[in-house]
Each structure stands twice: as C-alpha cells, then as structure tokens.
Amino acid sequence: MTTQRHYSPIDRLLLQADTAMRTLLPFSGQPYRPSPAIVQPDVQMSDEETRHVAGLMRINHTGEVCAQALYQGQALTAKLPQVREAMEQAAEEEIDHLVWCEQRIRQLGSHTSVLNPLFYGMSFGIGAVAGLISDKVSLGFVAATEHQVCKHLNEHLQQLPVKDDKSRAILEQMREDEEHHAESALEAGGFRFPAPVKFGMSLLAKVMTKSTYRI
C-alpha cells in the first residue's frame, strides 16, 4: 500500500521557492516529453522572420512562466486535496511547454524575457487569491486562462513563416494540451467566468504580450 505524504506549510513554501527558481533560471527545467520540434527539419529564415518568431516564442515562454506561477499559487491555497493535486499535475505538464519554448528561443539566437520574474510574482499572487476565494473560482480561472492562451496560440500559428515547422509543431502541441487543461478544469466544477471578467483578462494578456515581444 502506498501512502501520500502530507506537507507542512513550511514544506510547501520551500517547494514553491524551488519551483520558482526552476521556472525562472535558464535551462533549469527538465521536460517530461521531448520537444515536438526535434523531428522537424532546420530551415533558413531571413533575419526579420527569425526576430519575429523569436518574439512570438518569447511571449509564449512568458505565458508558460505565468502558468507555472498561477498553478503553484492555486495549489498553495486550494481547499480540497484533489484540486491541489490537479493543479500540481497541470503545472508539471506545463513544464514541457516552458522548456520547449526556451529551447526554440535559444535556437533562434535570442533570449527569454527579462520581465519574467515580475510576471511570475503577479501570477502567483492571482492564483493564490483565486484559491483562497474558492476551489470553484480557482478552477474557473484556470479554464478562462487556458482559453485565452489558446486564442494567442492560434494567432501566433497564423503569423509563423510557412516553412517554420519547428515552431509550429511546438505551438500545436501546446494548444492541444491547453485545451485539455481548460476542459478538465470545467469538468472538475470550475466556474464559468462572465464576459466582462474575460475581457479584463484579455486586456492584461495584451499588456504581457506587448511588453515581452522584444524584452
């Protein structure tokens, strides 16, 4: 028989600090799945195309930094053990996206956003507050966030150069995973946020995308 370990509040805070470091430090995350880009061929792109793709992938990388922070914040304050476990599992799956994006950015000769620590802190706080309000709101926030991410991924897929199959493979797999996370959160009892709340989340997302495209 296996027993589940119960962490004290101090243990959880230490785990959160460790996760934050592994999220923010370059090349510190270990993916559970290999990048979908591995099997795609290298192609030559113009300098302008390369800079644009790097900017898009930097946005998506920061989005995954935010996702890690959001899930960790929610896991810290979740009321039900099964909700906490679901958040932690989702965070593990998002590590793949984080590493894949970083790998692709480095391949393109660029860098991740210097604003990542700021966005991590903000997202962690939002997640923790959502978890304090209720698990239903917390799960609903996951669903609304993932739907917003899928919208951005669709836009980025349309902007990629046709020949950039490496970036396309990454974003398509990310979209599939995010759609699954969103539906799972709603099926678990997540609250469906009204349109005004989603609009506000969209505005915040635009601030993130505009600021991280270049820096």
Side-chain angles (χ1 to χ4, degrees), residues 70-71 74 82-83 86-87 90 93-94 134-147 177-193:
L70 179 67
Y71 282 128
Q74 290 170 310
Q82 60 266 34
V83 173
M87 295 298 180
E93 294 173 0
E94 297 282 1
S134 74
D135 288 335
K136 188 179 182 69
V137 169
S138 186
L139 289 166
F141 198 85
V142 167
T145 299
E146 298 291 25
H147 285 146
D177 293 344
E178 308 295 13
E179 288 173 347
H180 174 69
H181 290 162
E183 293 307 314
S184 295
L186 291 175
E187 290 172 1
F191 177 71
R192 292 182 182 272
F193 283 11

Side-chain angles (χ1 to χ4, degrees), residues 83-98:
V83 173
R84 180 181 300 113
E85 291 168 9
M87 295 298 180
E88 291 171 345
Q89 176 62 34
E92 289 182 359
E93 294 173 0
E94 297 282 1
I95 289 175
D96 288 348
H97 303 170
L98 186 77

Side-chain angles (χ1 to χ4, degrees), residues 20-36:
M21 295 296 289
R22 287 188 288 109
T23 299
L24 296 172
L25 291 177
F27 301 111
S28 56
Q30 294 296 323
Y32 294 87
R33 296 170 292 175
S35 171

